[in-house]
Coordinates of all heavy atoms in Angstrom, one line a residue:
A16 N 83.5 42.7 105.4 CA 83.5 43.0 104.1 C 84.2 41.9 103.5 O 83.7 41.4 102.4 CB 84.2 44.3 103.7
V17 N 85.3 41.3 103.9 CA 86.0 40.2 103.3 C 85.2 38.9 103.4 O 85.1 38.1 102.4 CB 87.4 40.0 104.0 CG1 88.1 38.8 103.5 CG2 88.2 41.2 103.7
A18 N 84.5 38.8 104.5 CA 83.8 37.6 104.7 C 82.5 37.5 103.8 O 82.2 36.5 103.2 CB 83.3 37.5 106.2
Q19 N 82.0 38.7 103.5 CA 80.9 38.7 102.6 C 81.3 38.5 101.2 O 80.7 37.7 100.5 CB 80.2 40.2 102.7 CG 79.0 40.3 101.8 CD 78.3 41.6 101.9 OE1 78.6 42.4 102.7 NE2 77.4 41.8 100.9
F20 N 82.5 39.0 100.8 CA 83.0 38.7 99.5 C 83.3 37.2 99.3 O 83.0 36.7 98.3 CB 84.4 39.5 99.3 CG 85.0 39.2 98.0 CD1 84.6 39.7 96.8 CD2 86.2 38.4 98.1 CE1 85.2 39.4 95.7 CE2 86.9 38.2 96.8 CZ 86.4 38.7 95.7
E21 N 83.8 36.6 100.4 CA 84.1 35.2 100.3 C 82.7 34.3 100.2 O 82.6 33.4 99.4 CB 84.8 34.7 101.6 CG 86.3 35.0 101.5 CD 87.0 34.4 100.3 OE1 86.8 33.2 99.9 OE2 87.9 35.0 99.7
R22 N 81.7 34.8 100.9 CA 80.4 34.1 100.8 C 79.9 34.2 99.3 O 79.3 33.2 98.8 CB 79.4 34.7 101.7 CG 79.6 34.2 103.1 CD 78.4 34.6 104.1 NE 78.2 36.0 104.1 CZ 78.7 36.8 105.0 NH1 79.6 36.4 105.9 NH2 78.5 38.1 105.0
E23 N 80.0 35.4 98.8 CA 79.5 35.6 97.4 C 80.3 34.7 96.4 O 79.7 34.2 95.4 CB 79.6 37.1 97.0 CG 78.6 37.9 97.8 CD 78.8 39.5 97.7 OE1 79.6 39.9 96.9 OE2 78.0 40.2 98.2
R24 N 81.7 34.7 96.6 CA 82.5 33.8 95.6 C 82.1 32.4 95.8 O 81.9 31.6 94.8 CB 83.9 34.0 96.0 CG 84.5 35.3 95.5 CD 86.1 35.3 95.6 NE 86.6 34.2 94.8 CZ 87.8 33.6 95.2 NH1 88.4 34.0 96.4 NH2 88.2 32.6 94.5
T25 N 81.9 32.0 97.0 CA 81.4 30.5 97.2 C 80.1 30.3 96.6 O 80.0 29.3 95.9 CB 81.4 30.2 98.8 OG1 82.7 30.4 99.3 CG2 81.0 28.8 99.0
A26 N 79.2 31.1 96.7 CA 77.9 31.0 96.1 C 78.0 30.9 94.6 O 77.4 30.1 93.9 CB 77.0 32.2 96.5
E27 N 78.9 31.8 93.9 CA 79.1 31.7 92.5 C 79.7 30.5 92.2 O 79.2 29.9 91.1 CB 79.9 33.0 92.2 CG 79.3 34.3 92.2 CD 80.3 35.4 91.9 OE1 81.4 35.2 91.4 OE2 79.9 36.6 92.2
R28 N 80.7 29.9 92.9 CA 81.3 28.7 92.5 C 80.3 27.5 92.5 O 80.3 26.6 91.6 CB 82.5 28.3 93.3 CG 83.7 29.2 93.0 CD 85.0 28.6 93.8 NE 84.9 28.6 95.3 CZ 85.2 29.4 96.0 NH1 85.7 30.6 95.6 NH2 85.1 29.4 97.3
I29 N 79.5 27.5 93.5 CA 78.5 26.4 93.7 C 77.5 26.5 92.6 O 77.2 25.5 91.8 CB 77.8 26.5 95.0 CG1 78.7 26.2 96.2 CG2 76.5 25.6 95.0 CD1 78.2 26.4 97.6
A30 N 77.0 27.8 92.2 CA 76.1 27.9 91.2 C 76.7 27.5 89.8 O 76.0 26.8 89.0 CB 75.7 29.4 91.0
D31 N 78.0 27.7 89.6 CA 78.6 27.4 88.4 C 78.7 25.8 88.2 O 78.4 25.3 87.2 CB 80.1 27.9 88.4 CG 80.1 29.4 88.1 OD1 79.1 30.1 87.7 OD2 81.1 30.1 88.2
V32 N 79.0 25.1 89.3 CA 79.1 23.7 89.3 C 77.8 23.1 89.1 O 77.7 22.2 88.3 CB 79.7 23.1 90.7 CG1 79.6 21.7 90.8 CG2 81.1 23.6 90.9
K33 N 76.8 23.6 89.8 CA 75.4 23.1 89.6 C 74.9 23.2 88.0 O 74.4 22.4 87.5 CB 74.5 23.7 90.5 CG 74.5 23.2 91.9 CD 73.4 23.6 92.8 CE 73.5 23.0 94.2 NZ 72.3 23.1 94.9
A34 N 75.2 24.4 87.5 CA 74.9 24.7 86.1 C 75.6 23.7 85.2 O 75.1 23.1 84.2 CB 75.2 26.1 85.8
S35 N 76.9 23.5 85.5 CA 77.6 22.5 84.6 C 77.1 21.1 84.8 O 77.0 20.4 83.7 CB 79.1 22.6 85.1 OG 79.8 21.5 84.5
Q36 N 76.8 20.7 85.9 CA 76.3 19.4 86.1 C 74.9 19.2 85.5 O 74.6 18.2 84.8 CB 76.1 19.1 87.6 CG 77.4 18.9 88.4 CD 78.2 17.8 87.9 OE1 77.8 16.7 87.8 NE2 79.5 18.1 87.5
K37 N 74.0 20.3 85.4 CA 72.7 20.2 84.9 C 72.9 20.1 83.4 O 72.3 19.4 82.7 CB 71.9 21.4 85.3 CG 70.5 21.3 84.8 CD 69.7 22.5 85.4 CE 68.2 22.4 85.0 NZ 67.3 23.4 85.5
A38 N 73.9 20.9 82.8 CA 74.1 20.9 81.4 C 74.5 19.5 81.0 O 74.3 19.1 79.8 CB 75.2 21.9 81.0
K39 N 75.2 18.8 81.9 CA 75.7 17.3 81.4 C 74.5 16.3 81.6 O 74.8 15.2 81.5 CB 76.9 17.1 82.3 CG 78.1 17.9 82.0 CD 79.2 17.5 83.0 CE 80.5 18.4 82.7 NZ 81.5 18.1 83.7
G40 N 73.4 16.8 82.1 CA 72.2 15.8 82.2 C 72.3 15.2 83.6 O 71.6 14.2 83.8
R41 N 73.0 15.6 84.6 CA 73.1 15.1 85.9 C 71.9 15.4 86.6 O 71.3 16.5 86.6 CB 74.3 15.6 86.5 CG 75.7 14.9 86.0 CD 76.0 13.6 86.5 NE 77.1 12.9 86.0 CZ 78.4 13.0 86.5 NH1 78.6 13.7 87.6 NH2 79.4 12.5 86.0
F42 N 71.4 14.4 87.5 CA 70.4 14.7 88.4 C 71.0 15.4 89.6 O 71.8 14.8 90.2 CB 69.6 13.5 88.7 CG 68.4 13.6 89.7 CD1 67.4 14.4 89.4 CD2 68.4 13.0 90.9 CE1 66.3 14.6 90.3 CE2 67.4 13.2 91.8 CZ 66.3 14.0 91.3
L43 N 70.5 16.6 90.0 CA 71.0 17.3 91.1 C 70.5 16.9 92.4 O 70.9 17.4 93.5 CB 71.0 18.8 90.9 CG 71.7 19.2 89.6 CD1 71.5 20.7 89.4 CD2 73.1 18.8 89.6
G44 N 69.5 16.1 92.5 CA 69.0 15.7 93.7 C 68.1 16.7 94.4 O 67.5 17.5 93.7
G45 N 67.9 16.6 95.7 CA 67.0 17.5 96.5 C 65.7 16.7 96.7 O 65.0 17.1 97.7
Q46 N 65.4 15.9 95.8 CA 64.1 15.2 95.8 C 64.3 13.9 95.2 O 65.5 13.5 94.7 CB 63.0 16.0 95.0 CG 62.7 17.3 95.5 CD 61.7 18.0 94.5 OE1 61.4 17.5 93.4 NE2 61.0 19.0 95.1
R47 N 63.3 13.0 95.1 CA 63.4 11.8 94.4 C 63.5 12.1 92.9 O 63.0 13.2 92.5 CB 62.2 10.9 94.7 CG 62.3 10.2 95.9 CD 61.1 9.2 96.0 NE 60.3 9.6 97.2 CZ 59.0 9.5 97.2 NH1 58.3 8.9 96.3 NH2 58.4 9.9 98.3
A48 N 64.0 11.1 92.1 CA 64.0 11.3 90.6 C 62.5 11.4 90.2 O 61.6 10.8 90.8 CB 64.6 10.1 90.0
P49 N 62.2 12.2 89.2 CA 60.8 12.3 88.7 C 60.2 11.0 88.4 O 60.9 10.2 87.8 CB 61.1 13.2 87.4 CG 62.4 13.8 87.5 CD 63.2 13.0 88.3
F50 N 59.0 10.9 88.5 CA 58.3 9.6 88.2 C 58.5 9.4 86.6 O 58.4 10.3 85.8 CB 56.7 9.8 88.4 CG 56.0 8.5 88.2 CD1 55.9 7.5 89.2 CD2 55.3 8.1 87.0 CE1 55.3 6.3 89.1 CE2 54.7 6.9 86.8 CZ 54.7 6.1 87.9
G51 N 58.9 8.2 86.3 CA 59.2 7.8 84.9 C 60.7 7.6 84.8 O 61.1 7.2 83.6
F52 N 61.5 8.1 85.7 CA 62.9 8.0 85.6 C 63.5 7.4 86.9 O 62.9 7.3 87.9 CB 63.5 9.4 85.4 CG 63.1 10.1 84.2 CD1 61.8 10.8 84.0 CD2 63.8 10.0 83.0 CE1 61.4 11.4 82.9 CE2 63.5 10.6 81.8 CZ 62.2 11.3 81.7
R53 N 64.8 7.0 86.7 CA 65.6 6.7 87.9 C 66.9 7.3 87.7 O 67.3 7.8 86.6 CB 65.7 5.2 88.0 CG 66.4 4.5 86.8 CD 66.6 2.9 87.1 NE 67.1 2.3 85.9 CZ 68.3 2.3 85.5 NH1 69.2 3.0 86.2 NH2 68.8 1.8 84.4
V54 N 67.8 7.3 88.7 CA 69.1 7.9 88.7 C 70.0 6.9 88.3 O 70.1 5.8 88.9 CB 69.6 8.6 90.0 CG1 71.0 9.1 89.8 CG2 68.6 9.7 90.4
G55 N 70.8 7.0 87.1 CA 71.7 6.0 86.6 C 73.0 6.1 87.4 O 73.2 6.9 88.2
D56 N 73.8 5.0 87.2 CA 75.1 5.0 87.8 C 76.1 6.3 87.6 O 76.8 6.5 88.5 CB 75.9 3.7 87.3 CG 75.3 2.4 87.7 OD1 74.4 2.5 88.7 OD2 75.4 1.5 86.9
D57 N 75.9 6.9 86.4 CA 76.7 8.1 86.3 C 75.9 9.4 86.8 O 76.5 10.5 86.6 CB 77.0 8.2 84.8 CG 75.7 8.5 84.0 OD1 74.7 8.4 84.5 OD2 75.9 8.8 82.8
G58 N 74.9 9.3 87.5 CA 74.2 10.4 88.0 C 73.2 11.0 87.1 O 72.5 12.0 87.5
S59 N 73.1 10.5 85.9 CA 72.1 11.1 85.0 C 70.7 10.3 85.2 O 70.6 9.4 85.7 CB 72.5 10.8 83.5 OG 72.6 9.4 83.2
L60 N 69.7 11.1 84.7 CA 68.4 10.5 84.7 C 68.2 9.5 83.5 O 68.6 9.8 82.4 CB 67.3 11.6 84.6 CG 67.1 12.5 85.8 CD1 66.1 13.5 85.5 CD2 66.7 11.7 87.0
V61 N 67.7 8.3 83.8 CA 67.5 7.3 82.9 C 66.0 6.9 83.0 O 65.4 6.7 84.0 CB 68.3 6.0 83.3 CG1 68.1 5.0 82.3 CG2 69.7 6.3 83.3
E62 N 65.4 6.7 81.7 CA 64.0 6.4 81.6 C 63.7 5.0 82.3 O 64.5 4.1 82.1 CB 63.4 6.4 80.2 CG 63.3 7.8 79.6 CD 62.7 7.6 78.2 OE1 62.2 6.5 77.8 OE2 62.8 8.6 77.5
D63 N 62.7 4.9 83.2 CA 62.2 3.7 83.7 C 61.1 3.2 82.7 O 60.1 3.9 82.6 CB 61.7 3.9 85.1 CG 61.1 2.6 85.7 OD1 60.1 2.0 85.0 OD2 61.6 2.1 86.7
P64 N 61.3 2.2 82.0 CA 60.3 1.8 80.9 C 58.9 1.6 81.3 O 58.0 2.2 80.7 CB 60.9 0.5 80.3 CG 62.3 0.3 80.9 CD 62.4 1.1 82.0
V65 N 58.6 1.0 82.4 CA 57.3 0.8 83.0 C 56.7 2.2 83.4 O 55.6 2.3 83.0 CB 57.4 -0.2 84.2 CG1 55.9 -0.3 84.8 CG2 57.8 -1.5 83.7
E66 N 57.4 2.9 84.2 CA 56.8 4.2 84.6 C 56.8 5.2 83.5 O 55.7 6.0 83.4 CB 57.7 4.7 85.8 CG 57.6 4.1 87.1 CD 58.4 4.7 88.2 OE1 59.1 5.8 87.9 OE2 58.4 4.3 89.3
H67 N 57.7 5.2 82.5 CA 57.6 6.1 81.4 C 56.4 5.8 80.5 O 55.8 6.7 80.0 CB 58.9 6.0 80.6 CG 59.3 7.3 79.9 ND1 59.6 8.3 80.6 CD2 59.2 7.7 78.6 CE1 59.8 9.4 79.8 NE2 59.6 8.9 78.6
A68 N 56.0 4.5 80.4 CA 54.7 4.2 79.6 C 53.6 4.6 80.4 O 52.6 5.1 79.7 CB 54.7 2.6 79.5
L69 N 53.6 4.6 81.7 CA 52.4 5.2 82.5 C 52.4 6.7 82.3 O 51.3 7.2 82.2 CB 52.6 4.8 84.0 CG 52.3 3.4 84.4 CD1 52.6 3.2 85.8 CD2 50.8 3.1 84.1
V70 N 53.5 7.4 82.2 CA 53.5 8.8 82.0 C 52.8 9.0 80.6 O 52.1 10.0 80.5 CB 54.9 9.4 82.1 CG1 54.9 10.9 81.7 CG2 55.4 9.3 83.5
A71 N 53.2 8.4 79.6 CA 52.5 8.5 78.3 C 51.1 8.3 78.3 O 50.3 9.1 77.8 CB 53.1 7.5 77.3
T72 N 50.7 7.4 79.1 CA 49.2 7.2 79.4 C 48.6 8.3 80.0 O 47.5 8.9 79.7 CB 48.9 5.9 80.1 OG1 49.5 4.8 79.4 CG2 47.5 5.7 80.5
M73 N 49.3 8.9 81.1 CA 48.9 10.1 81.8 C 48.6 11.2 80.9 O 47.6 12.0 80.9 CB 49.8 10.4 82.9 CG 49.8 9.5 84.1 SD 50.9 10.1 85.3 CE 51.9 8.7 85.6
R74 N 49.6 11.4 80.0 CA 49.6 12.6 79.1 C 48.3 12.3 78.1 O 47.6 13.4 77.8 CB 50.9 12.6 78.3 CG 50.9 13.9 77.4 CD 52.2 14.1 76.7 NE 53.4 14.1 77.6 CZ 54.3 13.1 77.8 NH1 54.1 12.0 77.0 NH2 55.2 13.2 78.5
D75 N 48.1 11.1 77.7 CA 47.0 10.9 76.8 C 45.6 11.2 77.5 O 44.8 11.9 76.9 CB 47.0 9.5 76.2 CG 48.1 9.2 75.3 OD1 48.6 10.1 74.7 OD2 48.4 7.9 75.1
L76 N 45.5 10.8 78.7 CA 44.3 11.1 79.5 C 44.2 12.6 79.7 O 43.0 13.1 79.7 CB 44.4 10.3 80.8 CG 44.3 8.8 80.7 CD1 44.6 8.1 82.1 CD2 43.0 8.3 80.2
R77 N 45.2 13.3 80.0 CA 45.2 14.7 80.2 C 44.7 15.4 79.0 O 43.9 16.3 79.0 CB 46.5 15.3 80.6 CG 46.5 16.7 81.0 CD 45.7 17.0 82.2 NE 45.7 18.4 82.5 CZ 45.0 19.0 83.4 NH1 44.0 18.4 84.0 NH2 45.1 20.3 83.7
D78 N 45.2 14.9 77.8 CA 44.9 15.5 76.4 C 43.4 15.3 76.2 O 42.7 16.0 75.5 CB 45.7 14.8 75.4 CG 47.1 15.4 75.4 OD1 47.4 16.3 76.0 OD2 47.9 14.7 74.6
Q79 N 42.8 14.2 76.9 CA 41.4 13.9 76.7 C 40.6 14.8 77.7 O 39.3 14.7 77.6 CB 41.1 12.5 77.1 CG 41.7 11.6 76.1 CD 41.5 10.1 76.4 OE1 40.7 9.7 77.1 NE2 42.4 9.3 75.9
G80 N 41.2 15.6 78.5 CA 40.6 16.5 79.5 C 40.3 16.1 80.9 O 39.7 16.7 81.7
L81 N 40.9 14.9 81.2 CA 40.8 14.4 82.5 C 41.5 15.2 83.6 O 42.6 15.8 83.1 CB 41.2 12.9 82.6 CG 40.2 11.9 82.3 CD1 39.8 11.9 80.9 CD2 40.7 10.4 82.7
S82 N 41.1 15.3 84.7 CA 41.8 16.1 85.8 C 42.9 15.2 86.3 O 43.0 14.0 86.1 CB 40.8 16.4 87.0 OG 40.5 15.2 87.6
F83 N 43.8 15.9 87.0 CA 45.0 15.1 87.6 C 44.5 14.1 88.5 O 45.0 13.0 88.6 CB 46.0 16.1 88.2 CG 46.7 17.0 87.3 CD1 46.6 18.4 87.4 CD2 47.3 16.5 86.1 CE1 47.1 19.3 86.5 CE2 47.9 17.3 85.3 CZ 47.8 18.7 85.3
R84 N 43.5 14.5 89.3 CA 42.9 13.5 90.3 C 42.4 12.3 89.6 O 42.5 11.1 90.0 CB 41.9 14.2 91.2 CG 41.3 13.3 92.3 CD 40.4 14.1 93.2 NE 40.9 15.3 93.7 CZ 41.7 15.4 94.7 NH1 42.1 14.3 95.3 NH2 42.1 16.5 95.2
K85 N 41.6 12.5 88.6 CA 40.9 11.4 87.7 C 42.1 10.5 87.1 O 42.0 9.3 87.1 CB 40.0 11.9 86.7 CG 39.3 10.9 86.0 CD 38.4 10.0 86.8 CE 37.6 9.0 85.9 NZ 37.0 8.0 86.7
I86 N 43.2 11.2 86.6 CA 44.2 10.4 86.0 C 44.9 9.5 87.0 O 45.1 8.3 86.7 CB 45.3 11.4 85.3 CG1 44.6 12.1 84.2 CG2 46.5 10.7 84.9 CD1 45.4 13.3 83.8
A87 N 45.1 10.1 88.3 CA 45.6 9.2 89.3 C 44.8 8.0 89.7 O 45.3 7.0 89.9 CB 45.9 10.2 90.6
S88 N 43.6 8.3 89.6 CA 42.5 7.1 89.9 C 42.7 6.2 88.8 O 42.6 4.9 89.1 CB 41.2 7.8 90.0 OG 40.2 6.7 90.2
E89 N 42.6 6.6 87.5 CA 42.7 5.7 86.4 C 44.0 4.9 86.5 O 44.1 3.6 86.1 CB 42.7 6.5 85.1 CG 41.3 7.0 84.8 CD 40.3 6.0 84.3 OE1 40.7 5.1 83.6 OE2 39.1 6.2 84.7
V90 N 45.2 5.6 86.7 CA 46.5 4.9 86.8 C 46.4 3.7 87.9 O 47.0 2.7 87.7 CB 47.7 5.9 87.0 CG1 48.9 5.1 87.5 CG2 47.8 6.7 85.9
K91 N 45.8 4.1 89.1 CA 45.7 3.1 90.2 C 44.9 2.0 89.7 O 45.3 0.8 90.0 CB 45.2 3.7 91.5 CG 45.0 2.7 92.5 CD 44.7 3.3 93.8 CE 44.5 2.5 95.0 NZ 45.6 1.7 95.4
Q92 N 43.8 2.1 89.0 CA 42.9 1.1 88.6 C 43.6 0.2 87.6 O 43.5 -1.0 87.6 CB 41.7 1.7 88.0 CG 40.6 0.7 87.6 CD 39.3 1.4 87.1 OE1 39.5 2.5 86.6 NE2 38.3 0.7 87.0
K93 N 44.4 0.8 86.6 CA 45.1 0.0 85.5 C 46.4 -0.7 86.0 O 46.6 -1.8 85.5 CB 45.2 0.9 84.4 CG 44.0 1.3 83.8 CD 44.1 2.2 82.5 CE 42.8 2.7 81.9 NZ 43.0 3.5 80.7
S94 N 47.2 0.0 86.8 CA 48.6 -0.5 87.2 C 48.7 -0.8 88.6 O 49.7 -1.4 88.9 CB 49.5 0.6 86.7 OG 49.4 1.7 87.6
G95 N 47.9 -0.3 89.4 CA 48.1 -0.5 90.9 C 49.0 0.5 91.5 O 49.3 0.6 92.7
H96 N 49.6 1.5 90.7 CA 50.5 2.6 91.2 C 49.5 3.5 91.9 O 48.7 4.1 91.3 CB 51.2 3.2 90.2 CG 52.5 2.6 89.6 ND1 52.5 1.4 88.9 CD2 53.7 2.7 90.0 CE1 53.7 1.0 88.6 NE2 54.5 1.8 89.4
T97 N 49.8 3.8 93.2 CA 49.1 4.9 93.8 C 49.9 6.2 93.7 O 51.0 6.3 94.2 CB 48.9 4.6 95.4 OG1 48.2 3.3 95.4 CG2 48.1 5.7 96.1
L98 N 49.3 7.2 93.0 CA 50.0 8.4 92.8 C 49.1 9.6 93.3 O 47.9 9.6 93.1 CB 50.4 8.7 91.3 CG 51.2 7.6 90.6 CD1 51.3 7.9 89.1 CD2 52.6 7.7 91.3
H99 N 49.8 10.6 93.8 CA 49.1 11.9 94.2 C 48.8 12.7 92.9 O 49.7 12.6 92.1 CB 50.0 12.6 95.2 CG 49.3 13.8 95.9 ND1 49.1 15.0 95.2 CD2 48.8 13.9 97.0 CE1 48.5 15.8 96.0 NE2 48.3 15.1 97.1
P100 N 47.8 13.4 92.8 CA 47.5 14.1 91.6 C 48.6 15.1 91.3 O 48.9 15.3 90.1 CB 46.2 14.9 92.0 CG 45.5 14.0 93.0 CD 46.6 13.4 93.7
E101 N 49.3 15.6 92.3 CA 50.5 16.5 92.1 C 51.6 15.8 91.4 O 52.3 16.4 90.5 CB 50.9 17.2 93.4 CG 51.9 18.2 93.2 CD 51.4 19.5 92.4 OE1 50.2 19.9 92.5 OE2 52.3 20.1 91.8
T102 N 51.7 14.5 91.8 CA 52.8 13.7 91.1 C 52.5 13.5 89.7 O 53.4 13.6 88.8 CB 52.9 12.3 91.9 OG1 53.3 12.5 93.2 CG2 54.0 11.4 91.3
V103 N 51.2 13.3 89.3 CA 50.8 13.1 88.0 C 51.1 14.4 87.3 O 51.6 14.4 86.1 CB 49.2 12.9 88.0 CG1 48.7 12.9 86.5 CG2 49.0 11.6 88.6
K104 N 50.8 15.6 87.8 CA 51.0 16.9 87.2 C 52.4 17.1 86.9 O 52.9 17.5 85.8 CB 50.4 18.0 88.1 CG 50.6 19.4 87.6 CD 50.1 20.4 88.5 CE 50.4 21.8 88.1 NZ 50.0 22.8 89.0
R105 N 53.3 16.8 87.9 CA 54.7 17.1 87.7 C 55.3 16.1 86.6 O 56.3 16.4 85.9 CB 55.5 16.8 89.0 CG 55.4 18.1 89.9 CD 56.2 18.0 91.1 NE 56.1 16.7 91.9 CZ 55.7 16.6 93.2 NH1 55.5 17.8 93.8 NH2 55.5 15.6 93.7
A106 N 54.9 14.9 86.7 CA 55.3 13.8 85.7 C 55.0 14.3 84.3 O 55.9 14.2 83.3 CB 54.8 12.5 86.0
I107 N 53.8 14.7 84.0 CA 53.4 15.1 82.7 C 54.2 16.4 82.3 O 54.7 16.5 81.2 CB 51.9 15.4 82.7 CG1 51.2 14.2 82.8 CG2 51.6 16.3 81.4 CD1 49.6 14.4 83.0
Q108 N 54.4 17.4 83.2 CA 55.0 18.6 83.0 C 56.5 18.3 82.7 O 57.2 18.9 81.8 CB 54.9 19.6 84.1 CG 53.6 20.3 84.1 CD 53.4 21.2 85.3 OE1 54.1 21.1 86.3 NE2 52.3 22.0 85.2
F109 N 57.3 17.4 83.6 CA 58.6 17.1 83.4 C 58.9 16.5 82.0 O 60.0 16.9 81.5 CB 59.1 16.3 84.6 CG 60.6 16.0 84.6 CD1 61.5 16.9 85.0 CD2 61.2 14.8 83.9 CE1 62.8 16.7 85.1 CE2 62.5 14.7 83.9 CZ 63.3 15.5 84.4
T110 N 58.2 15.6 81.7 CA 58.5 14.8 80.4 C 58.0 15.7 79.2 O 58.5 15.4 78.0 CB 57.7 13.5 80.3 OG1 56.3 13.7 80.5 CG2 58.2 12.6 81.4
A111 N 57.3 16.8 79.4 CA 57.0 17.7 78.3 C 58.1 18.6 77.9 O 58.0 19.2 76.8 CB 55.7 18.5 78.6
T112 N 59.1 18.7 78.6 CA 60.2 19.6 78.4 C 61.2 18.9 77.6 O 61.3 17.7 77.5 CB 60.8 20.1 79.8 OG1 61.3 19.1 80.6 CG2 59.8 21.0 80.4

C-alpha cells in the first residue's frame, strides 16, 4: 500500500514537471524536433527558416488538395528533402496549432 502510494506521488510529480516545462515552451523530447524546428540552447523549439518555409509550401499544396504522398514528392523535386508522407502530415498539423 505504501509503495503504491509512493508510485502515484512520483507519477504526479513527473506529470507536474512535464506540464510546467511544456507551458514554458520547452521541447520534452522523446522524438526528434518536428520538421521546421530545432531545439534551441534553452530547450525551446526554434523555427528553422529553411524547413519552416518548406512547411508553408506543404500547407499551400495541401490546401490545393494534394495528398501527403504527392506533397512529399513535390518537396523532394523542389528542395531535395526526402520526407515520408507521415512527416509531411505531422509538420502541417504541428504548425497549424
Side-chain angles (χ1 to χ4, degrees):
V17 173
Q19 182 176 350
F20 175 73
E21 284 300 320
R22 281 193 301 273
E23 290 171 0
R24 281 190 59 216
T25 300
E27 288 174 12
R28 283 194 302 269
I29 291 170
D31 289 345
V32 168
K33 285 188 175 196
S35 172
Q36 294 296 310
K37 187 174 182 179
K39 292 177 184 174
R41 292 272 175 94
F42 180 63
L43 302 179
Q46 300 175 343
R47 283 190 240 148
F50 188 83
F52 295 88
R53 63 179 176 75
V54 179
D56 294 336
D57 64 351
S59 65
L60 289 177
V61 179
E62 287 184 12
D63 178 297
V65 173
E66 288 184 0
H67 211 68
L69 284 173
V70 174
T72 299
M73 289 183 229
R74 189 176 301 106
D75 290 343
L76 293 171
R77 185 66 177 166
D78 289 345
Q79 294 172 27
L81 273 68
S82 68
F83 296 121
R84 185 175 306 282
K85 182 65 176 164
I86 294 168
S88 176
E89 291 285 323
V90 167
K91 180 171 175 66
Q92 185 178 18
K93 292 180 180 179
S94 72
H96 279 80
T97 301
L98 300 175
H99 190 277
E101 187 64 30
T102 302
V103 172
K104 178 181 177 183
R105 283 191 304 243
I107 291 170
Q108 289 175 339
F109 184 82
T110 58
T112 57

